[in-house]
Amino acid sequence: MTQKYRLDKEGYINRKKSISFKFNGKKYFGYEGDTLASALLANGIHLVGRSFKYHRPRGFVGSKEDEPNAKVQLYDGAKTEPNAVATEVELVEGLVAKSQNCWPSVSFDLGAINNFLSKFLPAGFYYKTFMWPKSFWYKIYEPIIRKTAGLGVAPLKPDPDRYEHKFEHCDVLVIGSGPSGLASALAAAKNGARVILAEDKSQFGGSLLTDQVTIGNKTGKEWADETIEQLKSMPNVVVKNRSQVFGYYDHNMMVMFERTKDHIESPSEYIPRQKLWYIRAKEVLVSTGSIERPLIFGNNDRPGILLASAAKEYIKKYGILIGKKPIIFTNNDSAYDTAIEFKKNGINPLVVDVRKNSESTVVKEARDLGINIKFSHAVANTKGYLRVNSATVGKLNNDRSSYENLENIPCDCICVSGNWTPTVHLSSQSGNKLKFDEIINAFIPNQSRQNETAVGSANGSFTLKKSLEDGFHKGFEISNRLTKKNIKSDTPSSNEKNYGKHENFWCMPLPKNKDYKRCVDFQNDVYVSDIELAIREGFRSIEHVKRYTTLGMATDQGKTSNLNGLQLVSNIENKIVPEVGHTTFRPPYTPVTIGTIVGREVGKHYRPTRKSPMHSWHEKNNAVFVDAGLWLRPRYYKQGNETLQQAAKREGANVRKNVGICDVTSLGKIDIKGPDSAEFLNRIYTNAWMKLPVGKARYGVMLREDGIVFDDGTTTRISENHFHMTTTTAQAVNVLAHLEYYLQVVWPELDVNVLSTTEQWAGAAVAGPKSRALLKKLFPKIDVSSEGLPFMGFKEENLFGVPARVFRISFSGELAYEINVESDHGIFMWKKIMELGKSMGIQPYGTEALSTLRIEMGHVAGSEIDGRTIPSDLSLEGMLSKKKDFIGKRSLNREAFLNPDREKIVGVIPVDKKTMIPEGSHLVKDKNAPLPNPKLGHISASCWSVEYNNPFSLAILKEGKKRIGEKLYAMSPLKNKSIEVEIVSSHYVDPKGERVRS
Amino acid sequence: MLEIKCPHCGSRSQNEFSYGGDSSVKRPELGKEVPDKDWDDFIYFRNNPRGKHSELWHHVAGCRQWFKVLRDTSTHEIFKTAKLTEEL
């Protein structure tokens, strides 16, 4: 297939390597070095998509990241990527792309009916129309609107690619490799700074690749190539292409993505698709260049109407003519370069210039080449549905409110230029207060808030000479602050054309009695009439106009539209642009795939997994695991076809009848040492600790300063100045930080050290009436009688040669022990206990049985210590020392905490003794009361009691124990249940605690 | 992301630290009578200045030391960091 619009010469493409690709199902060819956009244009394809709202046919506007229209869907299936910008997609063998937001096809799109209804779909249409009836929004309006107005389709399968993150530091980060970027990178590098130069494109050089200039005795391109080679050879420089710095964050943290895979024909499977770089730069040089603004005129959004600079770039970089009958429409001199390039390649362009005249060398050159120029003229309107085919051109009248005559001129493309807008996005993101430059009619960086400096056209300097001077000067000055080496580089001489002043006239009037659509924001379908409407309706702030019309809110973030929109608002309001101000620039500068941002933190890599030393044993014994914070804990050990509830019942019953073993490694453990340790615990816990004897454990409750229960656990006095604290699994990290805070910040005078030892100890709880007999087998030397090792006793002893700690503590409410050994011996301990317990019917039990046992005993856990309860709410008032002060004590006498009808802990059983009460159910008096039914409390935890073989729950209920014996209803609208329940004591089993002391 | 200079370890990224509030708040001494209003102020009320703010940070993913930071709340500029025993 021929590439009809490809020139024989020009461009930096590799004509020896032909590449095939598919667009909308049809096969085409391009060359290595093409983008998807240039390859399509080489084949004469302009129509690439449909506009967002009215489904108007749309073609390319730009040639780089500014492109608002050419958003395409790449590939299929899991690999598919929506909203890829065709001008930024490098052509690679086998690329598959299709148009978005059109059905059944881009050339015949049924949604285009919206264009004929456009009178009824102005700005704010959705807000105004779909307000009523309210319930329709969610189910009817929104899904339909979403289908017709939209971009690409997100993949439904997991992303098959891999993405990586990288952290880097440097002295100077230079963003953009145009003349000023190259100059400043070179100057800074020669002065000894560690430099990173980042270029978004595959090729370095920026405007040097397309402009006819010389630097020293070389062409711009030669100088750029040579400079890059020089930078690459320096050990203190990192040079990156295909790398877009898209975000400028606090303390000079820059975020950049690098495209590492998509452009490679057959990539190694180990290459990540993209890399996200976090770069902490001491200084940042923003040399991001500038973007050409379109002109606004009737039907200026037809395919075939492009920016003049884009047309030039397609000729110079890719050897492509965007058309063969071009009109160049401009208010400044830079577009004449485009006309000259057409002429040089044998095409006769017509230049339409709104200005009265221009005498610059570039205009002269155009004249000398015989290019037809119409000054004081403008394009009023265009024709051609799927591609522009003519322009209505007229002479502007004196006050430029209308036209003196209009004629129809056939054309196949229109190259527009409304002057240049510095790319200030990153500077603005850094906190730079921009100022409006009256000469170029655009915002430029002004007052830096961070170590950020803009150079070149990003700073409003549009000549090569100034860009180079600026670059070398700033590159030296900034690097010298850091290196102090004083190695200055000379600025090479340069030669360029001379450009005159633009005229700030950019929005063409409508011919009499015509209401052509004049597009301001191509991607979001915002027209001059929408902005006029917004202002008529009273929106004044530019931020409000933006949100009402969606101007600049699309994925291109208004790169081509923002300033035109601002100027329009200022004109209508009779204000000057700086008064109107600009909208906020936010990261990302260009769209970034979510995969890149997430990096390797997907699936199991999302967060670390903590496993106990006995994990492999649990796996071999059919454990079903549950996440407990970062830990994986056995929830139950499945036998045959058991359900969770059946297994928990079996495991729990075995603890009550024989003996069970539970992995409690995940409990937080904190080693506390120092002469003031007891005093410290006395302040941290609500109960008394000074007199705890060595070799004894005590249960403790901690409060927050505001009186709310924070955590609970047992702490053992190992020796006079040495304690072993346990915390809940969930709060282990927070308790350590809490202790550190008080030791370091509040009471630095206390001589205490705390250290987490959670991972150093493997823990097994051995619980049940037969646990004493088992312990005797495990530790023949210990006197395990109730006198020898009483409840809350502690011993250190060898377990078949392994040093172990034995605590007589119980969470299950049964006679129980907890054995700790060093983690490496955990599996040995576990197997030994299983082996010696076999004859007693030992069975492992998981967290589900553990919960069942603690719930029916009325022991509180995380579902009751929920950040809202104080000790008396949980029947823990006995734990509060009256003799000493402790953290949170002062808060307990606050009025709300003394209120007698606070919600307090109780037990709940269903009256039918059969129905499990869903956790989270609300307790109410009358199940038929009108909504909102007054809530008396809620169910915090539910289990099937193994002791009584019926359901039992804990609840936090208004007035608590006073209601014992009352009948209420547990309502769970989520599960559509209302259950009649009876309030009982929270201590359902062994209320006197005789078993643990037996 | 801020870059915070831990007085013990040097400059590190913000994700190694956790914020600990106004460093000028002093906990009333244990065992002392505290009027309701003072206690309420201590528990619930904090100044929310625009500008310089002296605060506590905890180097949780590092040396686990608490330390002081003088930070501008509107620009995030960090003027100084100091050990707890030092003046900001």
Side-chain angles (χ1 to χ4, degrees):
Chain A
M1 231 175 273
T2 53
Q3 297 174 34
K4 281 189 292 191
Y5 289 83
R6 185 83 69 177
L7 297 162
D8 304 334
K9 51 184 174 51
E10 293 275 12
Y12 311 119
I13 43 168
N14 176 11
R15 283 164 211 268
K16 288 193 193 106
K17 180 146 166 91
S18 179
I19 289 176
S20 74
F21 66 101
K22 266 189 178 172
F23 180 67
N24 285 336
K26 224 176 135 190
K27 194 171 181 181
Y28 298 94
F29 288 91
Y31 291 123
E32 187 179 62
D34 264 327
T35 61
L36 175 59
S38 68
L40 285 170
L41 286 168
N43 288 283
I45 293 166
H46 277 261
L47 176 66
V48 279
R50 291 278 174 160
S51 74
F52 189 67
K53 196 162 143 190
Y54 304 126
H55 292 246
R56 287 162 71 93
R58 287 288 172 78
F60 300 99
V61 167
S63 56
K64 45 185 185 181
E65 76 276 9
D66 55 350
E67 173 58 43
N69 285 339
K71 312 279 169 184
V72 294
Q73 183 101 23
L74 298 180
Y75 302 106
D76 305 305
K79 215 188 152 190
T80 193
E81 182 181 353
N83 310 334
V85 187
T87 50
E88 295 274 283
V89 175
E90 288 180 60
L91 200 65
V92 65
E93 184 62 40
L95 184 77
V96 180
K98 63 177 183 219
S99 299
Q100 299 180 159
N101 198 30
C102 52
W103 186 84
S105 78
V106 68
S107 46
F108 178 69
D109 174 18
L110 283 177
I113 189 139
N114 282 4
N115 192 31
F116 299 102
L117 302 173
S118 67
K119 277 217 169 70
F120 309 105
L121 296 164
F125 167 72
Y126 298 107
Y127 303 128
K128 290 168 188 162
T129 312
F130 298 111
M131 292 297 289
W132 185 91
K134 209 174 160 189
S135 60
F136 272 39
W137 174 253
Y138 187 62
K139 284 189 176 138
I140 296 169
Y141 297 144
E142 203 206 356
I144 292 175
I145 293 168
R146 269 197 193 283
K147 256 190 196 160
T148 53
L151 296 161
V153 182
L156 294 172
K157 289 185 191 133
D159 193 331
D161 277 305
R162 205 157 55 83
Y163 301 84
E164 278 179 6
H165 285 186
K166 189 177 163 68
F167 296 81
E168 195 57 87
H169 294 258
C170 66
D171 292 330
V172 182
L173 170 66
V174 181
I175 307 164
S177 71
S180 59
L182 287 173
S184 46
L186 190 62
K190 281 189 169 171
N191 198 22
R194 289 186 306 143
V195 175
I196 297 177
L197 173 65
E199 169 59 52
D200 163 44
K201 306 288 173 294
S202 59
Q203 266 183 305
F204 296 97
S207 63
L208 295 175
L209 297 174
T210 54
D211 287 2
Q212 257 205 324
V213 295
T214 57
I215 300 173
N217 51 7
K218 301 175 194 98
T219 67
K221 165 100 169 39
E222 282 164 2
W223 184 80
D225 289 348
E226 212 181 275
T227 307
I228 284 295
E229 284 317 307
Q230 197 181 348
L231 286 168
K232 279 183 176 168
S233 70
M234 297 169 86
N236 53 330
V237 182
V238 174
V239 176
K240 281 280 156 195
N241 58 342
R242 300 188 173 95
S243 295
Q244 176 81 63
V245 176
F246 65 82
Y248 199 130
Y249 297 89
D250 288 305
H251 294 187
N252 268 20
M253 166 67 89
M254 314 297 296
V255 187
M256 165 173 108
F257 69 88
E258 183 189 356
R259 305 185 297 274
T260 43
K261 188 177 180 183
D262 289 354
H263 60 284
I264 301 173
E265 195 175 314
S266 31
S268 144
E269 62 177 305
Y270 302 109
I271 296 183
R273 180 166 177 240
Q274 295 190 355
K275 274 188 204 164
L276 191 76
W277 291 55
Y278 293 95
I279 304 170
R280 187 80 74 174
K282 290 191 180 122
E283 295 282 348
V284 173
L285 275 157
V286 181
S287 49
T288 46
S290 49
I291 289 172
E292 197 167 28
R293 296 195 289 273
L295 290 168
I296 297 175
F297 49 97
N299 290 301
N300 56 337
D301 58 340
R302 294 191 195 284
I305 304 176
L306 282 83
L307 293 170
S309 59
K312 185 173 92 176
E313 201 169 320
Y314 286 120
I315 294 173
K316 298 295 284 183
K317 276 172 86 171
Y318 307 103
I320 292 162
L321 293 171
I322 61 155
K324 294 182 178 174
K325 260 189 286 173
I327 291 176
I328 316 292
F329 181 27
T330 184
N331 68 4
N332 67 80
D333 284 344
S334 71
Y336 282 79
D337 275 337
T338 308
I340 291 166
E341 291 301 337
F342 271 112
K343 185 76 187 176
K344 279 186 183 166
N345 285 293
I347 303 287
N348 273 323
L350 166 68
V351 177
V352 177
D353 192 330
V354 299
R355 298 175 298 175
K356 291 208 169 81
N357 203 357
S358 173
E359 290 300 332
S360 62
T361 53
V362 66
V363 175
K364 243 171 121 193
E365 186 187 342
R367 250 194 209 123
D368 293 346
L369 284 169
I371 293 171
N372 187 5
I373 305 170
K374 283 176 181 276
F375 282 110
S376 297
H377 274 66
V379 175
N381 186 30
T382 68
K383 287 178 185 152
Y385 185 55
L386 298 178
R387 168 90 184 259
V388 64
N389 59 27
S390 71
T392 313
V393 176
K395 187 162 194 290
L396 288 159
N397 67 5
N398 269 345
D399 65 355
R400 289 172 164 173
S401 62
S402 190
Y403 305 91
E404 284 178 6
N405 57 354
L406 285 169
E407 60 173 323
N408 218 33
I409 301 177
C411 65
D412 65 355
C413 67
I414 303 177
C415 308
V416 297
S417 177
N419 210 34
W420 294 79
T421 312
T423 306
V424 294
H425 298 64
L426 290 172
S427 294
S428 177
Q429 284 177 26
S430 80
N432 192 310
K433 287 244 178 306
L434 307 178
K435 75 170 178 204
F436 191 74
D437 186 316
E438 303 283 350
I439 297 168
I440 62 168
N441 286 107
F443 284 95
I444 57 169
N446 184 25
Q447 223 184 321
S448 296
R449 207 193 73 197
Q450 303 196 40
N451 295 337
E452 160 266 341
T453 311
V455 284
S457 64
N459 197 29
S461 324
F462 290 128
T463 67
L464 175 66
K465 190 164 181 287
K466 186 90 175 42
S467 289
L468 289 172
E469 274 171 13
D470 252 24
F472 277 103
H473 173 69
K474 295 270 174 58
F476 166 75
E477 192 190 85
I478 279 159
S479 59
N480 214 40
R481 282 182 212 159
L482 303 162
T483 67
K484 309 218 164 41
K485 286 193 175 165
N486 276 317
I487 306 168
K488 217 167 182 168
S489 315
D490 291 328
T491 308
S493 63
S494 60
N495 226 316
E496 66 195 300
K497 290 176 192 172
N498 143 270
Y499 301 86
K501 201 184 165 324
H502 81 290
E503 172 121 22
N504 189 28
F505 181 70
W506 44 275
C507 184
M508 303 307 131
L510 290 171
K512 241 178 220 151
N513 304 323
K514 299 288 182 192
D515 60 350
Y516 300 132
K517 281 210 162 296
R518 292 172 294 174
C519 193
V520 183
D521 183 327
F522 294 94
Q523 201 185 351
N524 256 356
D525 251 3
V526 180
Y527 298 83
V528 172
S529 53
D530 293 317
I531 294 172
E532 288 169 344
L533 175 79
I535 289 168
R536 265 204 315 280
E537 292 191 352
F539 293 90
R540 287 294 176 271
S541 153
I542 186 66
E543 295 281 3
H544 292 163
V545 172
K546 165 181 165 175
R547 279 157 184 79
Y548 191 61
T549 62
T550 70
L551 171 76
M553 282 171 69
T555 60
D556 70 338
Q557 296 219 345
K559 288 185 180 68
T560 49
S561 64
N562 270 345
L563 204 70
N564 278 342
L566 279 180
Q567 300 196 85
L568 197 60
V569 173
S570 353
N571 279 10
I572 300 168
E573 287 268 271
N574 277 325
K575 280 184 187 165
I576 48 171
V577 175
E579 254 179 84
V580 174
H582 59 83
T583 52
T584 312
F585 293 93
R586 292 193 179 85
Y589 172 64
T590 53
V592 188
T593 61
I594 297 212
T596 308
I597 292 168
V598 174
R600 298 298 304 275
E601 291 167 24
V602 288
K604 272 280 164 198
H605 294 296
Y606 175 63
R607 51 180 202 173
T609 304
R610 301 175 80 178
K611 294 176 183 171
S612 100
M614 287 81 89
H615 190 83
S616 59
W617 189 95
H618 304 321
E619 275 178 333
K620 269 182 229 144
N621 287 275
N622 290 330
V624 177
F625 292 94
V626 62
D627 288 321
L630 298 178
W631 291 91
L632 275 182
R633 298 190 70 183
R635 193 172 185 190
Y636 62 102
Y637 299 82
K638 196 175 175 127
Q639 290 187 359
N641 288 328
E642 270 180 337
T643 62
L644 165 71
Q645 210 181 63
Q646 287 164 344
K649 225 160 140 177
R650 168 182 55 74
E651 292 170 7
N654 192 57
V655 172
R656 294 265 184 257
K657 199 174 93 200
N658 297 314
V659 59
I661 176 172
C662 180
D663 188 346
V664 292
T665 304
S666 68
L667 283 187
K669 304 173 203 79
I670 297 169
D671 209 51
I672 301 173
K673 273 184 179 166
D676 296 321
S677 299
E679 170 65 27
F680 179 53
L681 291 174
N682 214 38
R683 297 178 184 190
I684 290 288
Y685 280 128
T686 60
N687 49 343
W689 287 82
M690 299 306 283
K691 289 180 185 152
L692 179 70
V694 172
K696 286 284 271 185
R698 187 164 282 177
Y699 173 69
V701 173
M702 287 180 205
L703 307 186
R704 311 191 311 212
E705 287 283 17
D706 62 0
I708 302 287
V709 179
F710 174 39
D711 197 44
D712 68 343
T714 56
T715 293
T716 308
R717 196 164 202 164
I718 308 279
S719 67
E720 183 62 25
N721 296 327
H722 183 193
F723 290 81
H724 172 81
M725 174 185 275
T726 65
T727 73
T728 57
T729 301
Q731 293 284 31
V733 171
N734 300 333
V735 170
L736 183 68
H738 179 80
L739 301 183
E740 285 169 334
Y741 173 80
Y742 283 97
L743 283 175
Q744 293 174 29
V745 181
V746 185
W747 307 311
E749 69 279 8
L750 291 185
D751 189 356
V752 179
N753 276 300
V754 293
L755 186 71
S756 166
T757 54
T758 303
E759 263 142 16
Q760 276 63 38
W761 295 103
V766 178
K770 294 181 183 168
S771 59
R772 178 172 287 136
L774 176 54
L775 206 72
K776 204 175 170 76
K777 282 177 145 184
L778 290 165
F779 300 98
K781 284 189 201 156
I782 297 183
D783 171 8
V784 295
S785 71
S786 212
E787 295 74 41
L789 184 57
F791 181 54
M792 289 292 180
F794 162 75
K795 285 263 193 310
E796 280 179 294
E797 188 50 78
N798 269 344
L799 174 74
F800 298 96
V802 171
R805 288 175 170 180
V806 183
F807 307 83
R808 187 174 161 193
I809 52 180
S810 174
F811 189 55
S812 57
E814 290 297 327
L815 170 67
Y817 303 88
E818 209 179 294
I819 305 168
N820 284 2
V821 295
E822 284 170 26
S823 292
D824 288 351
H825 301 301
I827 194 81
F828 169 80
M829 164 186 73
W830 188 272
K831 285 182 174 165
K832 206 77 201 167
I833 297 171
M834 287 303 296
E835 177 196 325
L836 296 179
K838 204 172 173 188
S839 59
M840 297 162 196
I842 194 167
Q843 281 183 29
Y845 63 103
T847 56
E848 199 65 24
L850 184 75
S851 298
T852 300
L853 299 172
R854 75 95 187 166
I855 291 167
E856 61 178 9
M857 281 287 172
H859 289 173
V860 292
S863 47
E864 289 78 36
I865 302 176
D866 64 353
R868 290 177 290 184
T869 45
I870 58 169
S872 57
D873 298 344
L874 304 176
S875 293
L876 292 170
E877 49 273 64
M879 295 292 296
L880 306 176
S881 167
K882 294 205 172 66
K883 292 183 190 146
K884 56 140 194 177
D885 198 0
F886 52 82
I887 298 296
K889 185 178 192 179
R890 177 64 182 80
S891 293
L892 292 177
N893 59 12
R894 288 172 53 218
E895 207 178 312
F897 289 171
L898 298 171
N899 189 344
D901 44 87
R902 278 187 69 79
E903 295 181 7
K904 297 181 180 194
I905 191 164
V906 290
V908 177
I909 48 173
V911 171
D912 68 0
K913 297 216 168 173
K914 275 185 207 139
T915 316
M916 278 283 277
I917 310 167
E919 289 177 352
S921 299
H922 278 198
L923 292 166
V924 299
K925 187 133 205 149
D926 174 6
K927 68 170 179 176
N928 296 317
L931 294 174
N933 196 338
K935 173 201 159 197
L936 297 173
H938 72 276
I939 302 291
S940 61
S942 288
C943 71
W944 190 280
S945 166
V946 291
E947 186 88 8
Y948 297 106
N949 200 20
N950 58 251
F952 175 73
S953 297
L954 291 176
I956 310 287
L957 176 66
K958 219 169 239 185
E959 294 174 72
K961 285 179 202 158
K962 274 191 232 160
R963 290 189 187 267
I964 287 179
E966 255 184 66
K967 300 254 167 70
L968 297 173
Y969 287 91
M971 310 280 287
S972 174
L974 276 178
K975 305 235 158 122
N976 203 16
K977 275 187 179 170
S978 66
I979 304 158
E980 194 180 14
V981 297
E982 189 187 334
I983 307 304
V984 297
S985 162
S986 59
H987 301 290
Y988 195 40
V989 174
D990 188 24
K992 288 185 187 152
E994 284 163 350
R995 295 182 191 180
V996 291
R997 292 185 175 77
S998 65
Chain B
M1 196 180 343
L2 309 188
E3 188 175 43
I4 301 171
K5 191 176 172 191
C6 168
H8 306 279
C9 308
S11 288
R12 297 286 190 278
S13 268
Q14 186 186 345
N15 47 7
E16 289 189 15
F17 300 89
S18 73
Y19 177 65
D22 186 341
S23 75
S24 66
V25 174
K26 288 270 168 289
R27 191 196 189 280
E29 253 177 70
L30 278 175
K32 242 190 178 173
E33 280 278 305
V34 187
D36 283 352
K37 192 183 169 303
D38 292 5
W39 188 256
D40 271 8
D41 282 349
F42 163 64
I43 298 283
Y44 297 108
F45 294 97
R46 294 291 180 272
N47 291 327
N48 185 19
R50 184 196 165 101
K52 283 189 180 177
H53 188 229
S54 66
E55 46 204 31
L56 287 172
W57 286 76
H58 191 195
H59 196 181
V60 281
C63 62
R64 297 212 54 102
Q65 295 299 300
W66 289 85
F67 62 95
K68 292 191 261 190
V69 175
L70 187 63
R71 181 180 66 102
D72 189 303
T73 56
S74 66
T75 65
H76 288 311
E77 186 177 350
I78 291 178
F79 305 99
K80 202 181 167 189
T81 61
K83 293 178 185 170
L84 289 171
T85 49
E86 296 167 348
E87 286 299 308
L88 259 185

